[in-house]
Amino acid sequence: MPHRYSSTNRRVACLAAALAITVVNQGSVQAGSATGAATEWTQLANNAQLVDLMKSSGIQVDNQLTQISQFAEQIQNQLKIYENMLQNTAQLPSYVWGKVESDLNQLRSIVEQGQSISFSMGNADDVLHQRFQSYADLKTNLPDNATFSSTYQSWSDTNRDTIASSLKAASLTADQFDSEEDTMSSLRSMSESADGQMKALQVGHEIAAQQVAQMQKLRGLVSQQLTMMGTWLQTEQTDTDLAQARREKFFSATAPSISGGERMMVEW
């Protein structure tokens, strides 16, 4: 049984393939595929296919979030270096500012990545609640009987509000941080003065630090959800195995012999 449970946990951890598969590296941060995967998740009408998708192999969400957090920390450290450089010069030269813009744009993509994972994992919780009563009845350790779906939404709202507050301190809005085009336009305007450059670096450093902390929270939430899914799948598998064992026992049983016993006599 321990071996089966370990296998089940591995299959559940591979939920990443169905929920939020994007690869994060230092060169680029791709976002949005998780949302697409979530759409596919809801379109599976066959419950067997739905469970099979959960068992499919892929990059683990936990590993993805670890990479995102590490990348955000790298950007945080790099922006601090640029901030120190600016303190010793009148204004960052254009070639250096180009690197700043690249880092801040990738930071924006990291934020999108976290939001995408949150959406997909919450979507999975909704679908499983709708499809399987046994999953809906499964209790969690979340406070106030909350669902993972609502908890992910709360995380998403808190993260966006925190970012908006940081941007406001630099006279920016969340809308200016939502798209690459708007972000680049804002940064080009801020690059025209040393004061603007410093504000951009400071708010970028602050948001990067926030994302390191927020991704750790999201990682903990994902881990908790995957553990619960593992418990549910293990229970489902145990029930299936037990039913199969009973069927095999019934059909393989030898019919009782009547030879040597009393002969049945018809009495009139």
Side-chain angles (χ1 to χ4, degrees), residues 107-124:
L107 178 60
R108 179 195 58 78
S109 295
I110 284 176
V111 173
E112 288 186 354
Q113 185 91 352
Q115 296 289 344
S116 230
I117 291 176
S118 172
F119 172 81
S120 288
M121 296 300 289
N123 181 269

Side-chain angles (χ1 to χ4, degrees), residues 19-32:
L19 302 177
I21 297 301
T22 50
V23 178
V24 180
N25 55 51
Q26 293 186 13
S28 65
V29 180
Q30 301 175 358

Side-chain angles (χ1 to χ4, degrees), residues 214-250:
Q214 287 297 101
M215 292 305 161
Q216 290 299 322
K217 292 179 181 178
L218 183 58
R219 184 184 177 190
L221 188 58
V222 168
S223 178
Q224 189 176 0
Q225 183 182 13
L226 292 179
T227 298
M228 193 193 77
M229 286 183 176
T231 301
W232 171 66
L233 274 179
Q234 177 62 25
T235 302
E236 291 291 295
Q237 186 64 53
T238 299
D239 290 344
T240 300
D241 291 346
L242 181 59
Q244 179 63 24
R246 286 173 175 170
R247 283 193 297 269
E248 291 176 356
K249 182 178 180 181
F250 176 81

